[in-house]
Amino acid sequence: MHTNKVLLIYTGGTIGMGQNPLTGALEPLDFKHLIDRVPEFGQISADIDVHQFNPPIDSSDMNPQRWAELVGIIASRYDNYDGFVILHGTDTMSYTASALSFMLENLTKPVILTGSQLPIGQLRTDGKENLVTSIELAAAHHEDGRAKVPEVCIYFNGHLLRGNRSTKQNADGFNAFDTFNYPHLCDAGVNIIFHEHQILKPDYSRPMTPYTKMDKSVAVFSLFPGIEENMVRHMLSYPNLRSIVMRSFGSGNAPQQPWLTRLLGEAASRGIVIVNISQCVAGTVEMARYDTGFQLKEAGVVSGYDSTVEAAVTKLMHLQAYNDDPDIIRQQMNTALAGEITL
């Protein structure tokens, strides 16, 4: 049911920061400070309620417990709002967006993460436009009352992006995020243009199902020329390790070293799920294209297709929390659960 209400969840981040007079460093401020700097709030047609993390956190401190807190906030208020906007620091925003896309199954309402590269109180801030447009998008709906963008997204610099396809690409520019393997869901210029054929279509006959558990027994490592056997063996022997996101070369290739194939095969046979994603920001893993990739496949490594590292890590955390069988996890890693990979 359409409510004309949006819940704004303030976690922290640059958008709400001020300068510490003693150190000169930016630090989170109370949300009331942020609201005072946005008189445009009064012109927004939707009603806005606010939930604030107390105290606000830097996004570097975001973790699975905080993701579960966000899921709980959204799930407990799900029927009361048309959409949700999460103000979040940019450094780990793609991780949070990816995690929430798996933790909020069959989402039928927008959950839009946004923030800024400059605090909202500064003259050249990008925070006002990001915040105001995110609220408009969270409230946008079709004539039948259904949301126009029923998925977890990031809005930044005029573009609405699928959250689990996003990567932070720029630490200094206002174009902080992009989705290199998927088109934008919406572009906001003078007019807001939705690309409806790119937007997920939920099953409205089923309810949204929230999940709050995450298993953190995941490691990430990148292959590089000269990588040593002892280093890889040490990582693979970690007692509680359940899965690895392996960032390989090009379309999923690795050095043709017998020791590497042997170690990966032994780890896979012990039940460790090894997911192969590319170090390239665009393109997909095709392990059958070259012999080096085919050897990885034969060793039990599974393709991550065109997944981002953020999506692969959080998807594994989610799957491991609810599955003990590594074969089920491998199968699910080759399934698009929330539009995170192209098959």
Side-chain angles (χ1 to χ4, degrees):
M1 183 180 298
H2 183 59
T3 66
N4 199 41
K5 294 176 66 177
V6 172
L7 181 63
L8 187 61
I9 305 170
Y10 176 62
T11 69
T14 299
I15 193 168
M17 285 187 171
Q19 197 168 48
N20 186 307
L22 297 179
T23 66
L26 292 174
E27 60 184 22
L29 298 175
D30 187 89
F31 188 75
K32 291 179 180 178
H33 158 83
L34 190 149
I35 291 293
D36 291 342
R37 301 298 181 98
V38 191
E40 292 86 349
F41 259 47
Q43 301 178 38
I44 297 174
S45 58
D47 294 330
I48 302 165
D49 291 336
V50 176
H51 181 95
Q52 177 175 339
F53 274 25
N54 189 18
I57 63 169
D58 186 275
S59 69
S60 298
D61 293 321
M62 188 58 69
N63 56 47
Q65 289 73 33
R66 294 291 194 176
W67 295 336
E69 183 178 349
L70 286 168
V71 168
I73 293 167
I74 292 168
S76 64
R77 298 162 171 81
Y78 194 71
D79 293 334
N80 300 329
Y81 296 94
D82 292 333
F84 304 85
V85 173
I86 301 174
L87 296 182
H88 194 291
T90 58
D91 286 348
T92 59
M93 189 183 291
S94 289
Y95 281 98
T96 297
S98 297
L100 293 180
S101 75
F102 304 121
M103 299 170 81
L104 298 166
E105 183 181 296
N106 197 46
L107 189 66
T108 59
K109 298 184 179 185
V111 174
I112 300 176
L113 288 84
T114 194
S116 67
Q117 294 287 64
L118 287 174
I120 207 164
Q122 293 192 8
L123 181 62
R124 295 182 54 251
T125 184
D126 54 328
K128 287 186 180 181
E129 194 278 324
N130 286 347
L131 175 56
V132 170
T133 305
S134 292
I135 294 171
E136 285 194 42
L137 293 171
H141 58 88
H142 297 287
E143 290 184 2
D144 62 2
R146 290 177 176 176
K148 287 195 172 183
V149 192
E151 56 177 288
V152 180
C153 309
I154 287 177
Y155 178 78
F156 234 88
N157 194 44
H159 305 301
L160 186 68
L161 314 172
R162 176 164 297 165
N164 58 31
R165 294 285 192 145
S166 68
T167 295
K168 185 175 181 182
Q169 65 165 350
N170 196 320
D172 299 317
F174 290 154
N175 59 330
F177 294 91
D178 210 341
T179 49
F180 296 96
N181 286 316
Y182 200 77
H184 299 162
L185 304 182
C186 169
D187 292 300
V190 174
N191 298 305
I192 296 178
I193 301 172
F194 293 91
H195 308 301
E196 295 192 16
H197 58 292
Q198 308 292 357
I199 298 170
L200 286 176
K201 304 297 188 293
D203 182 353
Y204 288 99
S205 68
R206 297 192 299 115
M208 187 278 287
T209 303
Y211 297 92
T212 56
K213 293 192 298 181
M214 297 288 266
D215 184 322
K216 298 179 288 184
S217 305
V218 182
V220 179
F221 84 94
S222 294
L223 297 175
F224 57 89
I227 190 169
E228 295 188 350
E229 179 178 354
N230 287 338
M231 181 186 303
V232 177
R233 179 186 292 110
H234 179 72
M235 181 193 63
L236 292 174
S237 64
Y238 182 73
N240 297 319
L241 185 66
R242 293 190 63 190
S243 61
I244 292 171
V245 176
M246 183 177 70
R247 303 180 67 244
S248 60
F249 305 130
S251 58
N253 302 312
Q256 295 192 59
Q257 298 288 344
W259 62 262
L260 179 61
T261 306
R262 186 185 73 254
L263 288 177
L264 293 174
E266 290 172 353
S269 67
R270 296 197 308 270
I272 295 176
V273 178
I274 306 170
V275 180
N276 185 8
I277 67 171
S278 177
Q279 295 178 23
C280 303
V281 294
T284 189
V285 163
E286 297 181 59
M287 289 195 290
R289 178 182 292 184
Y290 299 103
D291 184 58
T292 54
F294 184 77
Q295 290 180 22
L296 294 177
K297 185 176 180 180
E298 289 293 292
V301 176
V302 298
S303 175
Y305 297 94
D306 55 353
S307 176
T308 64
V309 65
E310 296 92 341
V313 167
T314 55
K315 185 177 180 179
L316 283 167
M317 287 183 177
H318 168 67
L319 292 172
Q320 290 172 178
Y322 295 94
N323 297 279
D324 293 325
D325 187 341
D327 287 333
I328 293 177
I329 296 173
R330 292 185 181 106
Q331 185 270 328
Q332 291 291 288
M333 289 303 295
N334 284 171
T335 303
L337 301 182
E340 72 281 3
I341 54 176
T342 303
L343 298 174

